[in-house]
């Protein structure tokens, strides 16, 4: 089992293709995860991306985009290990930091893609 195993889910009122476009640019990856080097091994289009991870961690990461009602559930998975084994306390701190980053990325995209949309109103077509 990886020392860093993170999952997150966030609902964004935007079509999957719009959300996928936010993850398509490698420059965005560097902004979201500056200490990780990502290599796509599965580009699933509107359903998301899967990467191998190197750098501060080694393993895999995935953003799976699932259309639900009038939006998209962003499922985020990170399964990785530090370059060298670390004590359980250190691994827990790393997991927590990665959980905070995952939610920060998701909520940042939610704010940008929903663009002030009032609750209960339909998303603006892309």
């Amino acid at each position: 089992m990886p020392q860093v195993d993170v999952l997150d889910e966030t609902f964004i009122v935007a079509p999957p293709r719009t959300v996928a476009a936010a993850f398509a640019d490698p420059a965005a990856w560097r902004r979201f995860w500056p200490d990780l080097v990502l290599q796509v091994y599965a580009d699933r289009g509107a359903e998301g991306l899967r990467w191998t991870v190197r750098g501060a961690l080694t393993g895999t990461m995935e953003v799976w985009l699932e259309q639900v009602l009038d939006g998209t559930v962003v499922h985020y998975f990170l399964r990785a290990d530090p370059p060298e084994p670390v004590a359980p306390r250190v691994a827990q701190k790393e997991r927590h930091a990665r959980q905070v980053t995952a939610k920060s990325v998701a909520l940042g995209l939610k704010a940008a893609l929903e663009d002030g949309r009032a609750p209960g109103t339909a998303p603006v077509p892309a």
Side-chain angles (χ1 to χ4, degrees):
M1 181 169 158
Q3 286 194 299
V4 178
D5 193 0
V6 175
L7 75 92
D8 184 71
E9 295 178 328
T10 303
F11 182 73
I12 298 176
V13 182
R17 289 219 178 273
T18 301
V19 179
F23 287 106
D25 182 7
W29 310 343
R30 287 185 291 278
R31 281 192 320 275
F32 298 153
W33 308 287
D35 62 340
L36 301 179
V37 178
L38 305 178
Q39 170 118 24
V40 174
Y41 73 86
D43 183 341
R44 300 174 54 219
E47 292 183 347
L49 293 164
R50 292 180 180 154
W51 299 273
T52 57
V53 176
R54 292 182 296 115
L57 298 170
T58 301
T60 62
M61 186 165 67
E62 176 179 359
V63 172
W64 168 41
L65 306 174
E66 177 185 21
Q67 183 166 356
V68 175
L69 301 172
D70 62 347
T72 304
V73 175
V74 178
H75 303 273
Y76 170 82
F77 304 94
L78 172 63
R79 294 178 184 98
D81 290 303
E84 299 293 325
V86 297
R89 185 180 95 255
V90 175
Q92 176 55 37
K93 287 177 108 173
E94 183 68 23
R95 272 192 303 277
H96 182 261
R98 297 299 172 166
Q99 290 166 337
V100 169
T101 297
K103 191 51 82 177
S104 176
V105 167
L107 293 178
L109 287 175
K110 182 176 182 67
L113 297 177
E114 291 184 3
D115 193 26
R117 179 196 62 84
T121 61
V124 177

